[in-house]
Amino acid sequence: MKKLLLGVAFAALMSSSAFAAKIGVSMALFDDNFLTVLRNGMIEQAKGMDGVELQVEDAQNDVAKQLDQIKNFAASGVDAIIVNPVDTSATQAMSDAAAAAKIPLVYVNREPVNVDTLPENQAFVASNEADSGTLETKEVCRLFKEAGKTEANVYVIMGELSNQAAVQRTKDIDDVIATPECSFIKIIDKQTSNWKREEAQNLMTNWLSTGKPFDGVIANNDESAIGAIQAMKAANIDMKSVVVGGVDATQDALVAMQAGDLDVTVFQDAAGQGAGALDAALKLAKGEKVEHKVYIPFQLVRPAISYTSLKTNCGRGPERRTRAAPPSLSA
């Protein structure tokens, strides 16, 4: 029986003194499981704080709409802005708009293209994507070796190609496979599902129709991994014969893992990122210094011992595996 290795949700430490503030939040998309947890992490954090008001808006995956939201927040006189960018290559204009209004801005989860040139009162809170696909692919490699594979063919499902996380996670996969330890893995094809379960299911169905033999699927996120699993199960593929990996450790992913369908995921603390972004925004609004990059660690997840442990942990963040604490938000 395999052992559960999960990460604990990072609880951002807020200042004990009351601070009234209105924070504008622009989310790339409301209709996304992971981003919903992130958004709720901010909302729950704010509920426990006197005088903190969040105005949360849905950009509906529209870059122009998101920029308008940021400009409107600035015009309304919010104390700080939090942005989960639709397109990480289009963030310079957002930074410029906030800077012109002299309002602090915090990017969350998706790394802005201008992350290395952010103004003093702007920051980025997320997890280091160089770790996500690396942890995932190394574990997939280990599982193939454990199964006695000397050659393994895999499909790679990418996220939105305009998103830095998708680009980095795919690079992580390529980098791990390029190492001597995992060079026996060959990528048959790689295509995008735009992070979506339904698109991944259709993509996997098309791949299955080619009849090419394969040993696994490495997906940029759990929703895509689950979509691929659904297609394979519909085709009556024995899930014990393939290795499937994802990233995020969403509740649906943990249930799929307990069912024996998903073999590996990587815990990305969505609620912790949301709370950390709010913490950084409030500190910047008070004129305090914040590191430009605040990373909340990814952690490897393997199949659980029982559904009970999964159910207990899904609502509050998984159990901790020993590792260093996240960095302080203060400079």
Side-chain angles (χ1 to χ4, degrees):
M1 190 172 288
K2 294 180 180 178
K3 183 179 173 183
L4 175 66
L5 294 177
L6 298 175
V8 67
F10 167 63
L13 299 176
M14 308 303 296
S15 173
S16 58
S17 59
F19 176 67
K22 183 173 182 179
I23 311 294
V25 181
S26 175
M27 297 296 299
L29 186 68
F30 276 12
D31 188 20
D32 178 280
N33 286 348
F34 178 83
L35 295 181
T36 296
V37 177
L38 190 154
R39 183 174 79 250
N40 289 339
M42 279 187 280
I43 293 171
E44 289 304 312
Q45 189 79 3
K47 282 181 180 178
M49 305 176 67
D50 292 335
V52 176
E53 178 187 350
L54 297 188
Q55 182 181 340
V56 186
E57 297 192 5
D58 182 2
Q60 300 177 331
N61 246 11
D62 185 323
V63 175
K65 185 181 184 72
Q66 185 162 62
L67 182 56
D68 284 342
Q69 288 173 349
I70 292 167
K71 290 179 178 178
N72 290 337
F73 286 148
S76 68
V78 297
D79 296 288
I81 299 170
I82 297 173
V83 181
N84 169 242
V86 170
D87 184 344
T88 53
S89 66
T91 52
Q92 185 63 60
M94 300 175 193
S95 285
D96 291 345
K102 298 181 179 179
I103 295 176
L105 182 146
V106 176
Y107 292 103
V108 62
N109 179 251
R110 298 177 175 181
E111 182 176 305
V113 68
N114 56 321
V115 69
D116 292 323
T117 58
L118 291 176
E120 189 67 24
N121 66 341
Q122 296 187 17
F124 169 55
V125 177
S127 299
N128 190 345
E129 293 297 349
D131 296 332
S132 56
T134 300
L135 287 169
E136 174 193 17
T137 311
K138 282 184 175 180
E139 179 64 7
V140 168
C141 176
R142 188 192 69 81
L143 290 171
F144 280 145
K145 287 182 174 180
E146 188 178 79
K149 298 276 187 182
T150 55
E151 292 184 3
N153 295 316
V154 300
Y155 286 112
V156 173
I157 304 180
M158 301 179 289
E160 290 180 4
L161 300 183
S162 63
N163 193 292
Q164 181 272 343
V167 174
Q168 183 62 54
R169 291 177 191 181
T170 304
K171 180 180 183 299
D172 296 341
I173 295 168
D174 291 334
D175 288 348
V176 171
I177 290 176
T179 64
E181 295 81 5
C182 301
S183 60
F184 65 92
I185 301 174
K186 306 297 179 186
I187 297 175
I188 307 171
D189 193 11
K190 60 173 75 168
Q191 293 189 38
T192 181
S193 68
N194 294 305
W195 303 121
K196 296 178 181 178
R197 186 182 302 194
E198 183 178 353
E199 289 191 31
Q201 184 173 2
N202 292 336
L203 176 59
M204 193 71 222
T205 298
N206 290 337
W207 278 334
L208 291 172
S209 69
T210 68
K212 292 181 181 178
F214 69 100
D215 303 283
V217 175
I218 307 176
N220 280 175
N221 70 326
D222 287 337
E223 283 294 289
S224 297
I226 291 170
I229 288 168
Q230 290 174 334
M232 286 185 275
K233 294 180 79 169
N236 295 317
I237 290 176
D238 181 2
M239 295 309 299
K240 293 180 180 178
S241 69
V242 293
V243 173
V244 182
V247 175
D248 289 336
T250 62
Q251 182 168 346
D252 286 352
L254 296 180
V255 172
M257 181 171 280
Q258 180 62 18
D261 298 329
L262 182 67
D263 298 283
V264 57
T265 185
V266 180
F267 176 54
Q268 181 177 196
D269 190 350
Q273 288 183 13
L278 179 58
D279 183 24
L282 289 171
K283 286 182 175 178
L284 288 172
K286 288 189 287 186
E288 297 179 13
K289 289 186 177 181
V290 170
E291 294 284 354
H292 280 314
K293 296 180 183 179
V294 180
Y295 287 136
I296 298 169
F298 279 106
Q299 296 190 46
L300 182 65
V301 183
R302 292 172 178 162
I305 295 173
S306 68
Y307 179 71
T308 302
S309 63
L310 287 171
K311 188 174 181 181
T312 300
N313 283 295
C314 279
R316 60 174 173 80
E319 295 173 353
R320 173 174 282 279
R321 183 176 63 159
T322 303
R323 66 182 301 154
S328 169
L329 293 178
S330 299

